[in-house]
Amino acid sequence: MSSSPATSRPSVLFVCVHNAGRSQMAAAFLTHLAGDRVEVRSAGSAPAGGVNPAVVEVMKEVGIDITAETPKILTVEAVQSSDVVITMGCGDTCPVFPGKRYLDWQLEDPAGQGVDAVRPIRDEIESRVRALISQLTPH
């Protein structure tokens, strides 16, 4: 069994204010779909106490369990150590560092919404994550 030289994996940071909905769904999809090909982080500038229950529910519907996830605080270190930083249309500001790729995904906020309203947001996030994977890991 020969070992190939280690290649650095691209890293992606998803940011929204509470890290309880959109960024959690995006991180879960990227982890689920890309596996260990991409390093995934998510964070918020004002993390909520827990992940939005409607978000947990709609992710279970597609076979992804995020019940154990907890919202995390956005740190300068997380931004510095990520290749791509994606904000989720929440007007949140991130520290800007040269050489990073910044994207803003305009997405409706699932906060306070029921599962019927959150499903289309989930589906839009999945579509964007699939496109992102094809850009980050060309085969």
Side-chain angles (χ1 to χ4, degrees):
M1 209 165 115
S2 66
S3 63
S4 59
T7 56
S8 66
R9 298 181 298 162
S11 57
V12 178
L13 171 65
F14 294 103
V15 179
C16 67
V17 176
H18 301 300
N19 190 217
R22 293 165 287 191
S23 55
Q24 289 285 353
M25 286 191 281
F29 271 125
L30 186 53
T31 300
H32 181 74
L33 297 168
D36 60 3
R37 293 180 295 159
V38 178
E39 191 176 343
V40 183
R41 301 181 184 91
S42 71
S45 56
V51 176
N52 178 332
V55 166
V56 172
E57 186 62 35
V58 301
M59 292 304 285
K60 274 186 185 165
E61 292 174 358
V62 294
I64 301 173
D65 183 3
I66 60 169
T67 52
E69 295 299 325
T70 54
K72 293 170 277 309
I73 187 76
L74 176 65
T75 63
V76 169
E77 293 76 25
V79 177
Q80 279 181 311
S81 59
S82 300
D83 300 312
V84 181
V85 178
I86 299 174
T87 53
M88 313 298 274
C90 43
D92 223 9
T93 55
C94 278
V96 175
F97 295 99
K100 308 284 175 212
R101 181 171 166 207
Y102 291 87
L103 301 171
D104 185 55
W105 290 357
Q106 295 292 327
L107 296 161
E108 195 176 331
D109 189 348
Q113 310 254 26
V115 292
D116 290 339
V118 177
R119 278 187 197 106
I121 302 168
R122 173 202 65 200
D123 296 343
E124 174 67 18
I125 289 171
E126 180 181 11
S127 169
R128 290 178 185 225
V129 165
R130 286 183 183 277
L132 180 68
I133 292 168
S134 67
Q135 294 167 15
L136 293 176
T137 59
H139 285 288

mmCIF file of all heavy atoms in Angstrom, residues 14 23-33 40 59 64 66 69:
data_model
loop_
_atom_site.group_PDB
_atom_site.id
_atom_site.type_symbol
_atom_site.label_atom_id
_atom_site.label_comp_id
_atom_site.label_asym_id
_atom_site.label_seq_id
_atom_site.Cartn_x
_atom_site.Cartn_y
_atom_site.Cartn_z
ATOM 1 N N PHE A 14 -18.714 28.762 7.148
ATOM 2 C CA PHE A 14 -20.040 29.334 6.937
ATOM 3 C C PHE A 14 -20.381 30.205 8.136
ATOM 4 O O PHE A 14 -20.245 29.772 9.287
ATOM 5 C CB PHE A 14 -21.093 28.228 6.815
ATOM 6 C CG PHE A 14 -20.926 27.368 5.585
ATOM 7 C CD1 PHE A 14 -20.376 26.109 5.682
ATOM 8 C CD2 PHE A 14 -21.336 27.826 4.343
ATOM 9 C CE1 PHE A 14 -20.226 25.305 4.551
ATOM 10 C CE2 PHE A 14 -21.183 27.036 3.209
ATOM 11 C CZ PHE A 14 -20.636 25.775 3.316
ATOM 12 N N SER A 23 -26.182 28.464 8.435
ATOM 13 C CA SER A 23 -24.786 28.021 8.444
ATOM 14 C C SER A 23 -24.665 26.579 8.930
ATOM 15 O O SER A 23 -23.799 25.831 8.470
ATOM 16 C CB SER A 23 -23.919 28.959 9.298
ATOM 17 O OG SER A 23 -24.445 29.077 10.613
ATOM 18 N N GLN A 24 -25.547 26.166 9.835
ATOM 19 C CA GLN A 24 -25.527 24.772 10.296
ATOM 20 C C GLN A 24 -25.932 23.825 9.163
ATOM 21 O O GLN A 24 -25.329 22.767 8.972
ATOM 22 C CB GLN A 24 -26.467 24.579 11.496
ATOM 23 C CG GLN A 24 -25.975 25.224 12.772
ATOM 24 C CD GLN A 24 -24.836 24.471 13.444
ATOM 25 O OE1 GLN A 24 -24.460 23.380 13.049
ATOM 26 N NE2 GLN A 24 -24.270 25.073 14.480
ATOM 27 N N MET A 25 -26.968 24.206 8.400
ATOM 28 C CA MET A 25 -27.399 23.364 7.281
ATOM 29 C C MET A 25 -26.301 23.270 6.230
ATOM 30 O O MET A 25 -26.000 22.185 5.723
ATOM 31 C CB MET A 25 -28.690 23.906 6.651
ATOM 32 C CG MET A 25 -29.924 23.674 7.498
ATOM 33 S SD MET A 25 -31.481 24.038 6.623
ATOM 34 C CE MET A 25 -31.530 25.821 6.730
ATOM 35 N N ALA A 26 -25.679 24.412 5.908
ATOM 36 C CA ALA A 26 -24.633 24.428 4.887
ATOM 37 C C ALA A 26 -23.437 23.573 5.317
ATOM 38 O O ALA A 26 -22.919 22.768 4.535
ATOM 39 C CB ALA A 26 -24.190 25.869 4.619
ATOM 40 N N ALA A 27 -23.023 23.711 6.569
ATOM 41 C CA ALA A 27 -21.886 22.931 7.070
ATOM 42 C C ALA A 27 -22.222 21.439 7.055
ATOM 43 O O ALA A 27 -21.390 20.608 6.673
ATOM 44 C CB ALA A 27 -21.509 23.386 8.479
ATOM 45 N N ALA A 28 -23.446 21.095 7.443
ATOM 46 C CA ALA A 28 -23.845 19.687 7.475
ATOM 47 C C ALA A 28 -23.873 19.097 6.066
ATOM 48 O O ALA A 28 -23.403 17.978 5.846
ATOM 49 C CB ALA A 28 -25.212 19.547 8.144
ATOM 50 N N PHE A 29 -24.408 19.850 5.106
ATOM 51 C CA PHE A 29 -24.433 19.364 3.716
ATOM 52 C C PHE A 29 -23.019 19.198 3.169
ATOM 53 O O PHE A 29 -22.707 18.200 2.523
ATOM 54 C CB PHE A 29 -25.221 20.310 2.801
ATOM 55 C CG PHE A 29 -26.688 20.000 2.732
ATOM 56 C CD1 PHE A 29 -27.634 20.970 3.032
ATOM 57 C CD2 PHE A 29 -27.140 18.744 2.328
ATOM 58 C CE1 PHE A 29 -28.986 20.693 2.965
ATOM 59 C CE2 PHE A 29 -28.496 18.458 2.248
ATOM 60 C CZ PHE A 29 -29.422 19.430 2.573
ATOM 61 N N LEU A 30 -22.152 20.171 3.435
ATOM 62 C CA LEU A 30 -20.791 20.084 2.908
ATOM 63 C C LEU A 30 -20.051 18.890 3.510
ATOM 64 O O LEU A 30 -19.388 18.134 2.803
ATOM 65 C CB LEU A 30 -20.026 21.389 3.152
ATOM 66 C CG LEU A 30 -18.633 21.474 2.527
ATOM 67 C CD1 LEU A 30 -18.643 21.168 1.029
ATOM 68 C CD2 LEU A 30 -18.023 22.852 2.764
ATOM 69 N N THR A 31 -20.203 18.687 4.802
ATOM 70 C CA THR A 31 -19.580 17.538 5.461
ATOM 71 C C THR A 31 -20.136 16.233 4.893
ATOM 72 O O THR A 31 -19.392 15.295 4.592
ATOM 73 C CB THR A 31 -19.822 17.608 6.986
ATOM 74 O OG1 THR A 31 -19.248 18.812 7.484
ATOM 75 C CG2 THR A 31 -19.217 16.408 7.703
ATOM 76 N N HIS A 32 -21.451 16.175 4.724
ATOM 77 C CA HIS A 32 -22.126 14.968 4.241
ATOM 78 C C HIS A 32 -21.742 14.643 2.798
ATOM 79 O O HIS A 32 -21.487 13.491 2.465
ATOM 80 C CB HIS A 32 -23.642 15.177 4.360
ATOM 81 C CG HIS A 32 -24.463 14.010 3.923
ATOM 82 N ND1 HIS A 32 -24.583 12.859 4.684
ATOM 83 C CD2 HIS A 32 -25.213 13.809 2.813
ATOM 84 C CE1 HIS A 32 -25.375 11.997 4.043
ATOM 85 N NE2 HIS A 32 -25.764 12.548 2.911
ATOM 86 N N LEU A 33 -21.694 15.663 1.954
ATOM 87 C CA LEU A 33 -21.484 15.449 0.519
ATOM 88 C C LEU A 33 -20.006 15.377 0.126
ATOM 89 O O LEU A 33 -19.654 14.661 -0.810
ATOM 90 C CB LEU A 33 -22.174 16.559 -0.286
ATOM 91 C CG LEU A 33 -23.699 16.610 -0.147
ATOM 92 C CD1 LEU A 33 -24.239 17.901 -0.731
ATOM 93 C CD2 LEU A 33 -24.340 15.402 -0.814
ATOM 94 N N VAL A 40 -14.570 21.704 7.082
ATOM 95 C CA VAL A 40 -15.795 22.496 7.220
ATOM 96 C C VAL A 40 -15.885 23.110 8.615
ATOM 97 O O VAL A 40 -15.665 22.431 9.611
ATOM 98 C CB VAL A 40 -17.044 21.603 6.990
ATOM 99 C CG1 VAL A 40 -18.318 22.432 7.069
ATOM 100 C CG2 VAL A 40 -16.955 20.879 5.655
ATOM 101 N N MET A 59 -33.429 18.674 8.197
ATOM 102 C CA MET A 59 -32.194 17.968 7.848
ATOM 103 C C MET A 59 -32.359 16.464 8.069
ATOM 104 O O MET A 59 -31.857 15.652 7.293
ATOM 105 C CB MET A 59 -31.005 18.515 8.648
ATOM 106 C CG MET A 59 -30.614 19.939 8.261
ATOM 107 S SD MET A 59 -30.225 20.165 6.503
ATOM 108 C CE MET A 59 -28.604 19.393 6.428
ATOM 109 N N ILE A 64 -29.713 13.592 7.379
ATOM 110 C CA ILE A 64 -28.553 14.198 8.045
ATOM 111 C C ILE A 64 -28.970 14.624 9.454
ATOM 112 O O ILE A 64 -29.881 15.432 9.613
ATOM 113 C CB ILE A 64 -28.019 15.410 7.251
ATOM 114 C CG1 ILE A 64 -27.618 14.984 5.830
ATOM 115 C CG2 ILE A 64 -26.833 16.047 7.981
ATOM 116 C CD1 ILE A 64 -27.226 16.130 4.921
ATOM 117 N N ILE A 66 -28.261 16.571 12.744
ATOM 118 C CA ILE A 66 -27.431 17.640 13.312
ATOM 119 C C ILE A 66 -27.849 17.956 14.750
ATOM 120 O O ILE A 66 -27.534 19.024 15.269
ATOM 121 C CB ILE A 66 -27.437 18.928 12.441
ATOM 122 C CG1 ILE A 66 -28.844 19.507 12.296
ATOM 123 C CG2 ILE A 66 -26.820 18.659 11.078
ATOM 124 C CD1 ILE A 66 -28.856 20.907 11.681
ATOM 125 N N GLU A 69 -25.092 19.197 17.043
ATOM 126 C CA GLU A 69 -24.353 20.430 16.726
ATOM 127 C C GLU A 69 -24.699 21.533 17.718
ATOM 128 O O GLU A 69 -25.827 21.618 18.204
ATOM 129 C CB GLU A 69 -24.680 20.899 15.310
ATOM 130 C CG GLU A 69 -24.212 19.951 14.230
ATOM 131 C CD GLU A 69 -22.706 19.744 14.218
ATOM 132 O OE1 GLU A 69 -21.954 20.704 14.520
ATOM 133 O OE2 GLU A 69 -22.274 18.628 13.912
#
